Amino acid sequence: MELILDDAFFMRKALQEAEAAFDLGEVPVGAVITVRDRVIARAHNLTEKLNDVTAHAEMQAITAAANFLGGKYLTDCTLYVTLEPCQMCAGALYWSQVSRVVYGAPDPQRGFTAMGGKLHPRTLVTPGILEAEAAALLKRFFIERRNLN
Amino acid sequence: MELILDDAFFMRKALQEAEAAFDLGEVPVGAVITVRDRVIARAHNLTEKLNDVTAHAEMQAITAAANFLGGKYLTDCTLYVTLEPCQMCAGALYWSQVSRVVYGAPDPQRGFTAMGGKLHPRTLVTPGILEAEAAALLKRFFIERRNLN
């Protein structure tokens, strides 16, 4: 069976990260960063565990990718993230000059488009990859959390 | 001599952090976070040294303050920063629900107001504290850097 390294393939890796966050009781968002179809960073939301609002999946992935590359610019990289980035993460992606941002579910409340944030003008954006899966995982998380309280 | 713990007092501490960044060859921005007139976090820009676009002074100060407090919300805190926060830092401050943001120099290019970012609706903002000092340090940095190249 041939492995097809398309956006859905890498978004599935990001979804695996989101599931890892879910299992830890974190809002289930996951991210991976690739360079030429190679994953160089993966991360999931850890804001509860680390008691740190900056510990979004994207932020950790950006730091890890820059560490891997030995440079702070991600100009040849693609970030896959299961949920539309917030303005903080959009801001970090802006500074990183990342080539592409591919995301799953939109975030009409706190996504960067709703909040008025901006990516770098050279960054291409592809929304809606495995959107249903990412949204279903988030919905399940919030239903379960509501039932616990 | 009585110590007057006003905004200028704490902004001077943030300026000391900015000077430490300057001495490291970093864009000179510094930040401190206070709770009831006590400094609980201090940081300066380390994006070059850490090869990490997320290593702005504010981001590190937010993480350090949350670590000190043992909780991720900074609802009783004031952030002092020498330069207007960018949209990434504004986004982090938004999530932290910080009480007040006091900044020195405006950033007409990359500041959160120019970029369209938002702080939390409950966050009070005081611009312009020791603005001239913060702006002069930044200007000196960019003049020296230009002369080196």
Side-chain angles (χ1 to χ4, degrees):
Chain A
M1 195 181 82
E2 198 188 347
L3 211 56
I4 300 170
L5 300 176
D6 58 4
D7 283 344
F9 176 85
F10 292 111
M11 189 59 84
R12 251 175 238 117
K13 306 252 177 236
L15 270 168
Q16 287 167 6
E17 289 294 319
E19 283 159 8
F22 184 101
D23 293 341
L24 292 169
E26 300 278 354
V27 176
V29 181
V32 301
I33 292 178
T34 65
V35 177
R36 288 180 292 282
D37 291 344
R38 180 180 167 195
V39 174
I40 61 164
R42 56 178 71 218
H44 50 263
N45 179 33
L46 283 174
T47 47
E48 297 302 323
K49 186 167 183 179
L50 299 181
N51 259 336
D52 187 347
V53 296
T54 76
H56 282 192
E58 302 95 310
M59 302 299 282
Q60 295 176 71
I62 291 166
T63 298
N67 188 47
F68 177 86
L69 294 171
K72 64 182 179 164
Y73 294 114
L74 307 180
T75 41
D76 293 319
C77 299
T78 299
L79 171 98
Y80 294 87
V81 59
T82 56
L83 182 65
E84 180 189 348
C86 74
Q87 60 168 340
M88 170 180 72
C89 295
L93 291 163
Y94 174 94
W95 290 120
S96 79
Q97 302 184 23
V98 69
S99 293
R100 272 185 84 208
V101 170
V102 181
Y103 67 85
D107 186 350
Q109 256 84 52
R110 299 283 178 267
F112 75 95
T113 47
M115 296 289 279
K118 281 181 195 66
L119 295 175
H120 196 278
R122 281 197 296 268
T123 301
L124 300 172
V125 182
T126 305
I129 303 295
L130 303 191
E131 174 178 341
E133 290 86 336
L137 187 65
L138 284 158
K139 192 175 172 187
R140 184 152 64 88
F141 177 81
F142 287 111
I143 287 172
E144 286 191 14
R145 197 159 77 164
R146 194 167 57 212
N147 292 342
L148 283 175
N149 292 335
Chain B
M1 194 180 84
E2 200 189 346
L3 212 55
I4 300 169
L5 301 176
D6 57 4
D7 284 344
F9 176 84
F10 292 110
M11 188 60 84
R12 253 175 236 117
K13 306 250 176 239
L15 270 169
Q16 287 166 6
E17 289 294 319
E19 282 158 9
F22 184 101
D23 293 341
L24 292 170
E26 302 278 353
V27 175
V29 181
V32 301
I33 293 178
T34 65
V35 177
R36 287 182 293 281
D37 291 343
R38 181 180 167 194
V39 174
I40 61 165
R42 57 178 71 218
H44 51 264
N45 179 33
L46 282 174
T47 49
E48 297 303 321
K49 185 166 184 180
L50 299 181
N51 259 335
D52 187 346
V53 296
T54 74
H56 282 191
E58 301 95 311
M59 302 299 281
Q60 297 175 71
I62 291 166
T63 298
N67 187 48
F68 176 87
L69 294 170
K72 64 182 179 163
Y73 295 114
L74 307 181
T75 39
D76 293 319
C77 299
T78 299
L79 172 98
Y80 294 86
V81 59
T82 56
L83 181 65
E84 180 189 348
C86 74
Q87 60 169 338
M88 170 179 72
C89 295
L93 291 163
Y94 175 94
W95 290 120
S96 79
Q97 301 183 24
V98 71
S99 293
R100 273 184 84 209
V101 170
V102 181
Y103 66 85
D107 186 350
Q109 257 84 51
R110 299 282 178 269
F112 76 96
T113 46
M115 297 289 279
K118 282 180 194 66
L119 294 174
H120 196 278
R122 280 197 296 268
T123 301
L124 300 174
V125 182
T126 306
I129 303 296
L130 303 191
E131 174 178 341
E133 289 86 335
L137 188 64
L138 284 157
K139 193 176 171 188
R140 184 153 65 88
F141 177 81
F142 287 111
I143 287 172
E144 286 191 14
R145 197 158 77 164
R146 195 167 56 212
N147 291 343
L148 282 176
N149 291 335

